[in-house]
Every structure is written in C-alpha cells, then in structure tokens.
Amino acid sequence: MCGIFAYVGNDNQSVLKAVRGLKDLEYRGYDSWGVAVKTPQGFFIRKETGKISNIPETDFEKHEGTMSIGHTRWATHGGVSAYNAHPHFNRDKSLVVVHNGIIENHDALREEIAAVFGNDVFRSETDTEVIPLLIDICMERGLSFENAFTEVCKKLHGRFAFVALHKDEPYMLAARDGSPLVMGLAEGEYFIASDTPAFLDYTNEVYFFDNGEYAKISKDAVTFFNLLSGNHVEKKKEKILWEKESASKGGHPHFMLKEILDQRELIENTVRLGGPAVSKAAQTLEKADNIFFTAMGTAAHMGMVGEYLFSRIAKKSVQAVYAAEFDKVLPFINKQSLVCGISQSGETADLLEAFKTTKKKGGKIMSVINVRGSSAERESFLSVPVNAGPERAVASTKAATAQFTILTLLAYALIGKRMQGEKKLTNASHAIKKWLTQELLIHISHIVETIKHNEDLYVIGKSVNYPIALEAALKIKEVSYIHAEGFAAGELKHGTLALIEKGTPCVVLVSNDEYKQDVLNAAQELKARGATIIGISPEAHPVFDHTIVTPDLENETPMALMISSQILAYYLATLRGLDPDKPRNLAKSVTVK
Ligand code: M6R
C-alpha cells in the first residue's frame, strides 16, 4: 500500500510535480498524504488526513526547491492522522523519509532509539518513524548521510521501499527491499515512484529497482548500488508502453466506469498481444506434474475460473488456492510443480510470499500479470502479460476479464488449439463491443434504483459461473458496502436459503449450458421464499423479475455475466452516493500480509 513520489531535477517548483504525482498514485492509499520540499530555509513539510486530490496546487506554489518527496498513505501502523502521515523526520527535521511497506522489527528498533534519544523523540505511532531517527543516530556517531542510510537499511526486517532526503546534501537516496520502486528518467530530471503513472507525463524511460538495491540521485547523475555489498550495480533502461491517456478517466465520472467500458476492446487486444507468451507458457504447463493457480481477491476468483477452464477445455487438473492459504498445498510442491501466480499489480504480498516458499521447495514459478516489471514478473521464470492497460479503480474489472482471456487461451493452447481459442475469444470480443452500450448502462442503472436500499444481496451460479458469483459479490460489497454473498447454486438449500425474505435481491447467473436448468430451479426456490430475482443471462426466463440480457458466447458467456455484475456494482455504489474508485478502508495494491 501507500504511494511514494520523489523528484530531483531542475524544476524549482518540484513540489507541484510531487503533488501531481501523488494525485496519480492515490489509488494506492488515500487516507492521508504529505509532501516535503527542500527550500533554502530547510524543509517545508505539509501533512494532512483525507485525499490529496481535493487540494489545490496553488497552496504549494510559493515553496520553491528542486528536490521534493511525497506520500499518499493507507494506514497500517498507527491510525489515520496528520502526525502518522509521511514524510517522517528526525529530531531537528534535517532529514525526511517516505516509506512503503512494513518494518517488522520496529518495536525493537524503537527501544534502541529510546535508549539513545529518550522516549519523547517519537512523534507518531508508525513503524516508518524509526528510519529517520536511526539515520540520525548513525550520523551523530559520525557516519555520512549515505553510510547512515545503508547501515539503517541493513537493520530493517520486513518489506520496504523508501526515499530519504537530507537538507545539507545535494542528493537523494532511495532503497528497495520487497516493496515496488521505479525511477523515471527525463532530461535533467529523475522521478522515483511506487508506480509509473506518477511520472508518465514526463517520461516513459525507467530503471526498475531490484530488491536489495539503493540509488543515489543528484541533479546530474544517478548511481545504483547493492545494499549489502555496496558494489555498483549496472542498470538496464526499460520503456513503459502505457500511454498516460489510458491511465486517465477519459471523460467518464469514475475510473471504474471507464475501465468497465475499456472492456469493449480488451479481449481482442489481450488475444492479439498474448499469443507467443501463451504458447511458451503452455509448453511449460504441459510438462508440469502438478499445477497451482494462486492469487488473492478478484485474481483468485479468476484462478478458480482457470481451474474450471483447464478441466473443461484441456482436461488438465489444476488446483486454485488463495496465496494467503498457500501453506495448505506446500507439502505437494516439488521440482515438478508449477505455481502460476495471477495478479494485476504483481505486488500482492501474499502472492510474493507464496512464490518465496515455492522457490525454497524447488518449484517453478510463472505469472499472469498486468503491470510489467512488477515483483511477480521479476520473480517468475516465465510471465504472460494480460495487457489490460493501467487499472486505476481499486475494484478490479478489466484486469479480471483479461486474466480470464489468458486462462482460456492457455487451456486451448494446452490441447494444441490456441488458434481456435483465439477465434472464439475474438468473436466474443466483437459481441461484447456491440452489447456494452449506453443503453445497457441505463437499463442496469434502472434495475439498481429498485434495489439500492437493500442491505443484503446474494449471487448464485454453477460451474464457471460459481467463481463469477463470488466475484460479483466481492465487487458489490467492495464498492457499495452492501453485504453481498456469492455461492454455488447447489449450496442454496444447505443453509443460505434461511436468509431469504420478501424482497431480498438475488442475482442469478445463467449461461446457456448443461447447468441452465439447475440454476433456474435454484432461482425458483429463491423466488418461492419472496426473493427479487435479477437474472443475468443470454435470455429472459419467467422466474426473473429483472433481466440483464447478455450475448450468448458459449464458453465465454461468463465474461459477459461478470461485466454485467461489474456494472451492477458500479451503479449500486454511485446511486448510494459512494465513490467507487476509492472504497473505504481499501487500496489498490495490497503489499502487506
Ligand atoms: O493486484 P492483484 O491482482 O494481485 O490484487 C489482488 C486483490 O487485492 C484484488 O483483486 C482485490 O481483490 C480487488 N480490489 C478486487 O476488486
């Protein structure tokens, strides 16, 4: 969680760049924010609770300086308050630090600091605060800022990315060990951020930090070092292909809606760009003895979809497991195992932990990712990009559909029918493009008007539509705060039916497949207890009170059902007066366990 932004260059209004950069990173955390700019009088620091997107740039114009750092926070250690917001500083505010990650041994480090400076030195409840104070101790013992910085890095246990700036030094220091950090390179300017959209306005040339590295950045030069050995590290420049435009709202009121509508072109794009990587991955999957899909949240639901697709299309057994529950399958991981991580951000902490344990047991790792250069991609011997473009809303929508697409292609490629898969998916893409219109949005918003005051909602589906039901419920609760539960249609009679009352909204996902009648029967049972049935299906059925008609895409119909449920969730949020892009308590990328 949390977004870091830092700038070193020739722009005297660097703080404005920091503010803009943070606005682009707000999806990573938005309960509080802070900036610091190095001015001739020392640091100007401002920290506040709330969203930086609400703050006008004019507030900062008079604070001039060519080095700035900033942070947008998702609280872990310590509540949401201005004093817990970053940057954190040392005793006399001569050095400032912004941090993303978790310092697990911060209690012990606090004791160490208290033994030197006393207890009154702490101004926050955060783990981060130990960093500037420890640097302070090292510098007081005679170390240079840089040596103090590396000494402190070696003391930290956990995962971190942080940037530090000292008022008397012409350079900035940035280190990574576990949390993402990338440097943007422009003429006479360096940008450091948790993610590239923060500086895509200025450059698309980057250096990705690897774990265990730090960089020393001044106006004219940047040098990378290994944190432990202190040896110089040669870096390779990489190019980011994403356009800034694709990371903007494109005239829509919310990123979530924009990203839902991006799905009109998405599947075809994913198919077109994914082919070669899919073929390579299929060869590896074919050889593997036991295959695991692992992920969290929406990506985990797509892993479950993959489990069904591999069974139905490729007749290949795969086990989907939440990355946070990976220990369950650990006894079965060996040199013949293939663990395939699925992740939009590629930075989900539980996933990276599952990768770590897999490696220890000799298993192979591949990943299905959206963000290039992400930790998941860097940890994998093979990765398949889903090419969904930047996803900014906290709720994952287009990335999920793109993951679904790649998993379908992989299943076809496994039986040597990748081209057939591509054809089916391209046809589905065209049908979705025709169907995903303004009229559809209006129709769904009218249905939502009738259920928006309900506080409980249930979603049922069978086979592939079971994980889609789980996903629909997750999307609804995440953005609308309605209690929503997804379950397998067959489970209905085994408990959940007891909760159905007159008017309880139940979303029923029906494909035109061999399970159709079973699911319609379950819908009848719901209706008999008074439920209001919202059917999402290629055709209307008498049991539905409201129908969202999708195209009939055969095996790909669940994609259209999922997109319909995303739209339903979007309107449930907005018609309840909520901001679907920034749901309470959540952040886009969960980089802590
Ligand atoms: O970046 P990842 O795909 O690894 O993220 C996994 C989950 O945190 C994510 O899908 C989360 O559940 C979404 N907010 C759901 O919309």
Side-chain angles (χ1 to χ4, degrees):
M1 309 288 179
C2 303
I4 288 177
F5 183 91
Y7 173 90
V8 181
N10 44 31
D11 186 349
N12 218 17
Q13 295 223 299
S14 63
V15 66
L16 296 186
K17 285 204 161 85
V19 170
R20 285 174 208 143
L22 291 181
K23 288 183 179 181
D24 282 328
L25 287 177
E26 215 174 26
Y27 70 91
R28 301 181 67 86
Y30 35 83
D31 53 40
S32 52
W33 60 272
V35 290
V37 54
K38 190 166 127 180
T39 76
Q41 296 75 41
F43 286 112
F44 161 76
I45 303 171
R46 179 165 164 191
K47 314 204 283 184
E48 274 182 31
T49 56
K51 296 174 184 163
I52 194 168
S53 48
N54 302 331
I55 307 292
E57 286 186 9
T58 44
D59 277 21
F60 301 90
E61 273 165 5
K62 62 175 191 287
H63 303 287
E64 296 197 331
T66 56
M67 289 172 125
S68 286
I69 59 176
H71 188 268
T72 174
R73 181 169 187 248
W74 183 82
T76 50
H77 287 81
V80 178
S81 66
Y83 57 83
N84 282 337
H86 303 213
H88 289 283
F89 32 82
N90 62 336
R91 289 170 302 159
D92 62 358
K93 294 195 182 169
S94 56
L95 75 96
V96 287
V97 168
V98 288
H99 161 238
N100 176 22
I102 282 210
I103 297 163
E104 286 164 358
N105 57 335
H106 73 106
D107 282 335
L109 295 173
R110 273 180 173 255
E111 279 174 27
E112 201 176 315
I113 293 164
V116 181
F117 292 148
N119 266 317
D120 293 345
V121 75
F122 299 107
R123 296 184 181 92
S124 81
E125 299 145 355
T126 65
D127 52 345
T128 303
E129 197 181 7
V130 301
I131 303 175
L133 291 170
L134 286 170
I135 297 178
D136 200 341
I137 292 179
C138 291
M139 290 183 74
E140 189 145 292
R141 289 180 181 153
L143 292 189
S144 67
F145 174 44
E146 185 177 356
N147 287 345
F149 174 92
T150 52
E151 273 316 293
V152 171
C153 285
K154 288 175 199 159
K155 277 175 172 280
L156 307 176
H157 299 168
R159 299 160 51 79
F160 63 75
F162 73 93
V163 181
L165 188 55
H166 193 287
K167 80 173 177 39
D168 299 328
E169 299 297 344
Y171 58 87
M172 188 180 268
L173 297 167
R176 169 188 173 149
D177 203 11
S179 299
L181 207 58
V182 56
M183 181 184 293
L185 312 157
E187 192 63 41
E189 297 185 302
Y190 298 103
F191 303 84
I192 297 152
S194 305
D195 197 1
T196 52
F199 53 69
L200 275 182
D201 270 339
Y202 315 102
T203 182
N204 65 353
E205 289 206 329
V206 301
Y207 288 139
F208 285 106
F209 284 73
D210 280 312
N211 285 337
E213 282 180 0
Y214 81 96
K216 182 174 179 179
I217 314 113
S218 63
K219 228 171 106 181
D220 315 306
V222 57
T223 323
F224 279 79
F225 301 92
N226 181 288
L227 264 171
L228 285 182
S229 66
N231 290 341
H232 175 235
V233 177
E234 223 30 82
K235 297 296 283 184
K236 200 172 126 247
K237 262 190 210 162
E238 296 183 44
K239 260 205 160 72
I240 300 296
L241 299 175
W242 286 355
E243 299 290 332
K244 176 76 185 193
E245 176 50 26
S246 58
S248 72
K249 287 185 198 162
H252 298 288
H254 299 103
F255 280 112
M256 184 176 175
L257 182 59
K258 187 246 175 196
E259 288 160 6
I260 288 172
L261 294 175
D262 279 353
Q263 295 175 107
R264 291 186 284 216
E265 319 285 340
L266 177 90
I267 301 168
E268 191 173 9
N269 231 9
T270 300
V271 167
R272 186 167 44 80
L273 298 170
V278 164
S279 292
K280 218 167 145 200
Q283 285 166 16
T284 307
L285 285 161
E286 212 177 345
K287 285 184 217 132
D289 270 0
N290 48 357
I291 303 171
F292 301 91
F293 288 148
T294 190
M296 295 301 288
T298 292
H301 295 149
M302 293 309 103
M304 291 169 75
V305 164
E307 207 177 10
Y308 281 97
L309 294 175
F310 271 48
S311 156
R312 288 179 71 154
I313 300 169
K315 312 279 176 274
K316 182 103 180 163
S317 164
V318 173
Q319 191 174 343
V321 56
Y322 284 108
E325 295 296 324
F326 198 72
D327 279 6
K328 177 178 80 172
V329 298
L330 217 47
F332 315 111
I333 304 287
N334 54 40
K335 288 198 175 87
Q336 272 69 50
S337 310
L338 181 68
V339 172
C340 174
I342 304 169
S343 177
Q344 189 287 129
S345 64
E347 301 296 346
T348 295
D350 287 310
L351 178 76
L352 298 176
E353 189 62 30
F355 278 5
K356 210 160 141 190
T357 45
T358 298
K359 275 192 181 167
K360 273 194 196 140
K361 300 209 63 178
K364 277 204 178 70
I365 290 167
M366 69 170 261
S367 54
V368 173
I369 41 100
N370 190 33
V371 178
R372 301 309 306 263
S374 59
S375 301
E377 178 169 30
R378 299 172 97 71
E379 292 296 325
S380 304
F381 87 102
L382 182 77
S383 66
V384 187
V386 301
N387 291 302
E391 193 180 64
R392 299 285 300 276
V394 166
S396 187
T397 54
K398 62 177 180 173
T401 303
Q403 289 159 353
F404 194 144
T405 304
I406 288 295
L407 291 164
T408 307
L409 269 186
L410 282 171
Y412 277 106
L414 258 176
I415 49 166
K417 293 188 173 168
R418 196 190 98 200
M419 297 319 266
Q420 188 185 323
E422 288 195 358
K423 204 163 164 229
K424 282 165 125 325
L425 285 160
T426 307
N427 290 341
S429 188
H430 294 162
I432 284 173
K433 188 173 180 175
K434 267 201 208 139
W435 161 76
L436 190 37
T437 58
Q438 201 56 33
E439 288 71 47
L440 177 73
L441 299 183
I442 293 170
H443 173 61
I444 296 180
S445 72
H446 286 160
I447 296 174
V448 168
E449 281 290 357
T450 67
I451 57 166
K452 67 179 182 192
H453 297 302
N454 285 76
E455 289 306 327
D456 303 286
L457 184 153
Y458 300 92
V459 192
I460 61 166
K462 187 169 165 66
S463 184
V464 182
N465 290 338
Y466 164 47
I468 299 295
L470 297 178
E471 171 55 14
L474 173 65
K475 212 92 304 170
I476 290 168
K477 61 188 143 193
E478 181 178 25
V479 297
S480 74
Y481 315 152
I482 291 173
H483 163 237
E485 262 186 64
F487 53 97
E491 269 290 296
L492 191 58
K493 293 189 277 290
H494 300 273
T496 314
L497 205 52
L499 296 172
I500 306 303
E501 294 174 344
K502 188 167 167 21
T504 306
C506 293
V507 177
V508 178
L509 306 174
V510 195
S511 292
N512 240 337
D513 57 14
E514 63 270 45
Y515 310 111
K516 179 167 102 180
Q517 201 48 53
D518 286 346
V519 184
L520 290 173
N521 291 346
Q524 285 293 359
E525 289 158 9
L526 288 165
K527 186 141 179 152
R529 273 85 192 168
T532 299
I533 308 291
I534 299 148
I536 309 184
S537 163
E539 61 204 9
H541 294 283
V543 68
F544 298 161
D545 295 293
H546 306 280
T547 310
I548 300 170
V549 178
T550 68
D552 188 348
L553 307 173
E554 299 171 358
N555 276 348
E556 284 69 49
T557 299
M559 288 180 167
L561 306 185
M562 180 163 78
I563 295 171
S564 304
S565 70
Q566 295 166 352
I567 303 170
L568 199 72
Y570 173 76
Y571 283 112
L572 278 169
T574 51
L575 294 177
R576 285 162 70 95
L578 301 168
D579 175 358
D581 287 348
K582 297 190 178 97
R584 69 184 178 203
N585 308 337
L586 302 179
K588 180 72 181 156
S589 168
V590 185
T591 58
V592 287
K593 284 201 287 169

